[in-house]
Amino acid sequence: MSKTFSPRLALTAVTGLALLVPLAPTPAHPLHQQTTAGPIPAEPALADADYTELPLQQAGRYSAAQAQQTKPFGMVGVTWQYRESSAQVQVKVRVQRNGQWSAWEPLRVEDDHGPATSERTRRSGTEPLWIGDANGVQAALTTLDGTTVSDAKVVLINPGTLATDAEPPTVQDPAGVEGSRAPYPMPAMVSRRGWGADERLRAHNGKTCARPKYTGTVHAAFVHHTADRNNYTRTQVPGMVRSMYAYHVKSRGWCDLGYNFLVDRFGRAFEGRYGGAQFPVLGAHTGSFNANSFGVSLIGNFEKVAPTAPMLETTARIIAWKLDAYYRSPLATVVLAGKKLGTISGHRDTKATACPGKNLYAKIPWLRQRVNVLMGKSVWTEIYRFAQQLGGFRVTGQPFWGEHRTKTGRATYFAVRDIYWSPASGAHSVTGLFRTRFRQLGPDGMLGLPTSEYRNGRVAGSKVQSFQKGGLYWSKATKMRPVAGLIYRKYVSLGAERARIGLPISDMYQVKGGLRQQFQRGILTYNNRQQKVYVS
C-alpha cells in the first residue's frame, strides 16, 4: 500500500483553529466456530486496496485554499489524538473529480460510534465519507471552543475491486424442521468472505484483537446510519464496507469493523464484526451500550432522506432473526448501562446525537411492529417452553448461542445448560460435565440428541444420561465416558451400569476388524464382518 507523495500543501478557510493538509505523509472462545453467515477460515481473493494518511498541521487562520492532487481514493475521513469528547470539533472536506472540485461537505463526528473501552490505539475521528472516485482532497478542521486538536490526519482509502463486487454471494438458513415453531430464520446475508474482508487486518492493532470478543447474551438491537451518502451503486457497496473496515481498524484503532450488521439501500444485508453472525459478538457501535446488544447500521444518511422500503424490511428481518433466537420481545423494554430502553432502539435513544437520522428514527415504531409480526407475535418455541418449565433464565442462565438448527433439530446454549429439541427426542438439557463432554461430541455426533435429563445411576456414585443412540456414564473413578451404537445396545442388554463388566473406563477405539471399549471388569468388542458385539 503506497504512502509516497510529493510534498505539497493545502490551506482551507475556517474560523477558530485551522489545520494544514500537506500531501507528504509522515478466533479463541470455545464456541467460536463456523456458522451459516460466520467466519470462513480460507482466505478470499483480496482487493488491490490502498490506504494513505496525510498529516494535518496546525497553522492558525487561513482564508484561502490551494488545490492539490492525490492518488485515486474512494473514501475519506479525518482522525486525531483521542479526546474524551469531540463535540466541539467540526470537519469538512471537498474533493476533486475529473479536474473539478466539489462543494464543501461536513464530516459527522460521533463520539459514541465505537467501543466502550479502548481497543488498543484508539483515536477520535469523523465518520468516513464515501466519495466513489476522486484524485484530490482538501480538509478543514476547527474547534468551536478554540482548543487544540493534536496529531490530526486525513485518511484516504481506495478499497480496490473484486470480481464479485457486482453481486456478492449470499448465504442463509436452510429450511426449518417440519411441524415445529422455529425461530425466525436468518435472512440472506453477504458474509465477510463475500464482501472481501482481509482477516489479517484484525491483527493490525495487536494479537488480542485477532480473537473476537463476546458479550453474555443479546437483549437489544441498536439502529444506526453510517452518515454516508445515499446515491451509491450496487457494485460500490462491498468496497464501501471494506473501506469502513479499514478506517475503523487502521484509522480509529479498533479491533474490527464496528457494526455487527450493515444494510444497503437495495435491501442487502452484510455481516459486520468478526466472530460468527449467530453469536453475541461484542461490537463497537454504541459506546457503553455495546454489551448485550448488537448494532445494525443502514448505509446512508437519513437526516434529510428517508430509508428505502427494501432496506427497512431487511433491517426488520435481521432484528427478528436475532431477537427471536434469544427470546426477546421487540415490544419490551430492557435496562442497559443503567438506562431503560426499548429492545429495538435508535442510537439517539442512548445520548444526544443525530444518529440514525430523523427520517430513520421515525421508522423505529414501524420496525418494532414489523419485527413483532415476523416473529409471529410470540417468542414461544419448544426449547423456550422447556426452559420455562425448568424455572426460566434463573435456572438455565441467559442464552449465549441463541436457538439454532442442528441436522435433526434445534439447540440453544444457555449460560448454565444447553437445551436440545427434535420431533423424535423432545426437549432435554445437558449440564455440568455432561454438557462439557457432549459439546465435544456434538449434537450431530455418535450419540444423537438427549432423550432424558441426567440422573443418578443404579450403581452408587454414578451418573447417567440417555441419548438417541447411546449414553454418557460418569463416576469419580471412571470419568465421563460415551457408549454408543451396537456396543451401547449390548451394554444395555447386560444391565448397563449394573452389568458384571461395570462402568466404561475408556472411549470406543478402533481395533483390527472393528471397535472396542474397555469397562471396569471386561471388554466389549464389535466385529464389523459379523456385525456382532462380543464380551470378554
Side-chain angles (χ1 to χ4, degrees):
M1 297 184 182
S2 174
K3 290 188 177 181
T4 304
F5 289 88
S6 59
R8 299 170 68 182
L9 192 66
L11 307 181
T12 58
V14 297
T15 57
L17 175 67
L19 299 177
L20 299 178
V21 191
L23 283 180
T26 50
H29 193 282
L31 289 180
H32 181 213
Q33 54 183 283
Q34 182 176 332
T35 63
T36 308
I40 299 174
E43 287 191 9
L46 301 179
D48 184 16
D50 190 87
Y51 178 92
T52 304
E53 290 182 345
L54 308 178
L56 281 160
Q57 305 294 338
Q58 183 175 344
R61 284 185 162 191
Y62 292 89
S63 58
Q66 179 180 340
Q68 43 158 326
Q69 293 185 338
T70 68
K71 282 188 174 183
F73 63 94
M75 183 169 277
V76 61
V78 176
T79 69
W80 49 89
Q81 186 174 314
Y82 178 74
R83 293 162 62 103
E84 189 66 30
S85 173
S86 294
Q88 298 297 312
V89 180
Q90 292 186 339
V91 182
K92 61 181 179 180
V93 298
R94 67 173 187 161
V95 300
Q96 181 180 251
R97 299 188 190 91
N98 301 320
Q100 299 295 316
W101 285 92
S102 69
W104 289 99
E105 291 188 70
L107 297 184
R108 299 244 176 209
V109 178
E110 293 283 357
D111 284 324
D112 218 32
H113 270 179
T117 56
S118 176
E119 292 191 356
R120 301 290 294 181
T121 55
R122 183 178 174 191
R123 288 172 60 82
S124 297
T126 68
E127 297 297 293
L129 179 67
W130 178 252
I131 299 300
D133 186 18
N135 60 357
V137 66
Q138 293 179 285
L141 184 154
T142 186
T143 55
L144 299 179
D145 57 5
T147 57
T148 300
V149 173
S150 302
D151 192 29
K153 298 177 182 179
V154 177
V155 178
L156 307 178
I157 301 172
N158 181 346
T161 58
L162 290 173
T164 57
D165 281 353
E167 205 59 53
T170 60
V171 291
Q172 63 188 110
D173 276 346
V177 178
E178 291 295 330
S180 67
R181 167 44 175 105
Y184 189 79
M186 186 191 80
M189 186 175 297
V190 179
S191 69
R192 288 175 65 93
R193 180 184 179 89
W195 55 258
D198 182 353
E199 300 299 359
R200 298 169 300 183
L201 190 58
R202 290 184 290 106
H204 179 79
N205 293 313
K207 291 182 179 179
T208 57
C209 273
R211 292 177 63 85
K213 297 177 178 63
Y214 297 92
T215 186
T217 188
V218 168
H219 278 300
F222 286 108
V223 178
H224 300 262
H225 70 167
T226 61
D228 213 324
R229 57 181 73 252
N230 302 298
N231 60 349
Y232 50 83
T233 67
R234 290 178 68 92
T235 302
Q236 288 176 329
V237 177
M240 295 175 73
V241 178
R242 292 194 297 271
S243 297
M244 280 186 268
Y245 175 36
Y247 184 77
H248 288 176
V249 174
K250 301 180 77 171
S251 308
R252 300 297 301 275
W254 305 349
C255 288
D256 196 353
L257 184 62
Y259 305 114
N260 298 99
F261 305 98
L262 299 102
V263 181
D264 69 14
R265 69 188 183 100
F266 309 102
R268 298 180 299 179
F270 293 77
E271 180 188 10
R273 184 161 278 219
Y274 179 89
Q278 292 178 322
F279 297 133
V281 177
L282 179 63
H285 49 84
T286 320
S288 60
F289 297 87
N290 291 330
N292 298 329
S293 71
F294 65 97
V296 183
S297 191
L298 281 66
I299 300 174
N301 189 326
F302 303 106
E303 190 63 27
K304 296 181 180 179
V305 176
T308 66
M311 72 193 318
L312 285 172
E313 178 65 18
T314 297
T315 301
R317 293 183 180 190
I318 292 172
I319 296 173
W321 163 56
K322 292 293 284 188
L323 293 188
D324 211 4
Y326 285 85
Y327 314 123
R328 314 300 184 191
S329 168
L331 306 181
T333 58
V334 64
V335 176
L336 293 177
K339 187 168 185 174
K340 187 177 181 180
L341 298 161
T343 49
I344 302 175
S345 292
H347 183 189
R348 67 171 59 181
D349 290 318
T350 67
K351 62 171 294 184
T353 174
C355 183
K358 65 181 182 181
N359 290 291
L360 176 52
Y361 186 73
K363 292 294 185 180
I364 298 295
W366 179 89
L367 279 173
R368 291 177 180 140
Q369 293 299 326
R370 179 58 180 154
V371 170
N372 192 45
V373 170
L374 292 173
M375 291 172 57
K377 301 182 179 180
S378 169
V379 295
W380 183 94
T381 69
E382 292 87 352
I383 287 179
Y384 179 72
R385 181 174 64 178
F386 186 76
Q388 294 302 303
Q389 292 171 355
L390 290 175
F393 296 153
R394 176 180 58 83
V395 173
T396 65
Q398 293 290 334
F400 175 82
W401 185 359
E403 191 163 328
H404 57 278
R405 291 182 175 87
T406 67
K407 284 185 178 179
T408 60
R410 299 195 303 274
T412 301
Y413 288 10
F414 295 86
V416 177
R417 64 179 69 208
D418 303 339
I419 300 178
Y420 298 87
W421 174 89
S422 75
S425 65
H428 297 283
S429 69
V430 290
T431 188
L433 293 175
F434 287 90
R435 176 168 77 160
T436 301
R437 190 70 172 103
F438 188 60
R439 280 190 180 182
Q440 294 170 351
L441 298 170
D444 303 313
M446 63 181 178
L447 292 180
L449 297 180
T451 57
S452 74
E453 303 300 291
Y454 88 84
R455 63 186 184 278
N456 290 328
R458 294 175 294 172
V459 172
S462 67
K463 296 185 185 297
V464 179
Q465 186 162 11
S466 298
F467 294 79
Q468 289 174 304
K469 297 179 285 186
L472 283 172
Y473 295 83
W474 177 90
S475 75
K476 187 175 182 180
T478 60
K479 309 305 181 186
M480 184 70 70
R481 304 292 181 185
V483 185
L486 291 179
I487 288 181
Y488 173 72
R489 290 187 187 180
K490 185 67 173 182
Y491 186 51
V492 170
S493 71
L494 296 172
E497 68 267 29
R498 295 183 64 181
R500 67 180 185 273
I501 59 175
L503 292 166
I505 59 173
S506 78
D507 290 356
M508 292 185 293
Y509 56 93
Q510 288 187 336
V511 294
K512 185 177 180 180
L515 295 172
R516 180 170 293 167
Q517 187 161 14
Q518 298 181 36
F519 294 77
Q520 289 173 307
R521 295 179 293 277
I523 296 174
L524 292 181
T525 303
Y526 169 70
N527 185 289
N528 284 331
R529 183 172 59 85
Q530 298 177 353
Q531 295 189 355
K532 290 184 179 180
V533 178
Y534 295 92
V535 184
S536 59

